[in-house]
Amino acid sequence: MTRDEVLRNVFGYETFRLDQQRIIDNVLAKRDTLVIMPTGGGKSLCYQIPALIFEGLTVVVSPLISLMQDQVSQLNQLGVSAVCLNSSLGLDEYEMNLLEIRSGKVKLLYLAPETLFLERTQRLLGQVPVDCLTIDEAHCISDWGHDFRPEYRKLIEVRRRLKGAVTVALTATATERVRADIREQLSIGAGDEFIASFDRKNLFLNVMHKDNPQSQVIGILREHAEESGIIYCYSRNQVDELAHFLHSRGFSVKPYHAGLADDTRANNQRLFIRDDVQIIVATVAFGMGINKPNVRFVIHHDLPKNIESYYQEIGRAGRDGLKADCYLLYSHGETNKIKFFIAQKDDEEKRVALSQLATLVNYAESEVCRRKTLLQYFGEEAADRCNACDICLNPPKEKTDFTVAAQKFLSCVKRTGERFGTTYVVDVLRGAKTQKILANGHDSLSTYGIGHDLSKTAWQAMGRQLVQQGFLKQEAEFGTLALTPLAIPLLKGETAFFGKTLAPESSGKIAAPAKKRELLANANAELFEILRRKRKELADEQNLAPYMIFSDKSLIDMSTRLPRNRAEFLEVHGVGEAKWQRYGEQFLFLINNYTENQTV
């Protein structure tokens, strides 16, 4: 089959997305290829389609067993011969897979790096023709990446042994520095690097001031009744507490973190993937290998580790291309807790972690379009407005002239010697009698006590805005404030300072999330539910996740098109020949039956 025939007949798609067509052609030409494509952007097709066209085997290296099992199950449902070799398999299944590989029947073999390095695996690959080596999560090969794994560096030697095999490296998140490192490690030319847009247009980005997180989470969950979602928390204790709280309020929820027993954790994940549980509350240990396409919302209850992690985690929402909502509950006060843990690291790690934290804070406190800020981090230009984030839909109020307050703050920073952080400067302004202020003699300064007309919270907000607007610079490790050249004209009264309100932050209202009714658009909601119940029934019978039968997008398309025969059913999104053979007649029966009853 040709590239386009595989796309239509096996995967059931009419057209390629993003750069898929160019990438596939590059791989088929046996040119080593680096693919940077967002989560949910269709990276897998970039090697799966060539795998079905190549004569030999495609070896896929993946860091997580759950990801391998997920991919293999989905491919098997499409009628593709794919297997995995990992520690989760029983001896009989492992040996059966080895026989299938040696016979030449298998097109895709999924392996963890550790399994690939085993001598018996190397002997196996020496006995069969290998046309393609695919390295998934390729950022793991770079020590500049957010998830560096030393074992990934050994792939370079394996690659040399697989002569004649083209290498495809794929990742969803990589800065220019990480991309350059991957290219260097794998000797991939710049002309063979494909960078798709990082813009996931179907994701709504929302940062909410965190003032009553339990109430705020419940408000979001009510907006997403009966829908799948992930809530990320900073610690295991927070996961357990929030999961228990939500369960007590009647929500379908399970916890997930590394402190749970292995079987409990695996079972909770399985319940979520199979739509038996709607919500998972998790640490970042959850989700790396999860390809559940109908996650309609992701909530970050706490700050993520860094922008790359945040982008990857929100990327678990809306992988089916339908609308999904991403919420970050943010309070500037939480950064102090994170700085405490960062302080325990060695100097280099500390420097990197503080830089990453500053980038996150800039994203959360920015007054410009969230999408623009996020995309700029990855080196991609974007429009000033996306109309799919809280800033664009609820623009910041007109700024107020706070020149006098700003002059007081800057003067206090100067008079205390530019040696202290925001908390100390605010205490001086408000006339606090702390031991440190008295010992330094700063109670005798002209700026001591001149700021008790504003609250501590208001002065802290002033300090952050002066930093954000470039009048102050803040040293990363200790938070020490110092004046910049911009501050001098402001102190002299030659320029003015306009800022946001210095009152307590907003209550964290949710900005226009995507509603379930919007997802269905022109589809028949009643028929969609009938088809969804049938999908769940079939999935349970086969011990599969429902989306492996049909995605929500496929069911919506069926509920819109109302196909009446095989030819029309094959026009449905995501329906190829194998899906028709397995399930077509059962779903056609339900569609026809529903249609006939509506016309009676």
Side-chain angles (χ1 to χ4, degrees), residues 395-414:
K397 295 184 177 71
E398 190 173 324
K399 291 185 177 180
T400 305
D401 188 338
F402 287 119
T403 302
V404 173
Q407 289 170 329
K408 289 179 181 180
F409 198 100
L410 293 173
S411 180
C412 195
V413 170
K414 185 66 175 174

Side-chain angles (χ1 to χ4, degrees), residues 526-555:
E526 186 180 356
L527 176 57
F528 174 81
E529 290 301 328
I530 292 170
L531 300 180
R532 192 162 70 154
R533 286 195 295 272
K534 183 62 178 179
R535 179 183 66 178
K536 182 73 172 96
E537 175 192 317
L538 291 169
D540 288 346
E541 287 174 3
Q542 299 174 71
N543 204 22
L544 293 171
Y547 64 81
M548 291 180 185
I549 307 292
F550 288 120
S551 69
D552 277 9
K553 196 167 186 177
S554 295
L555 297 189

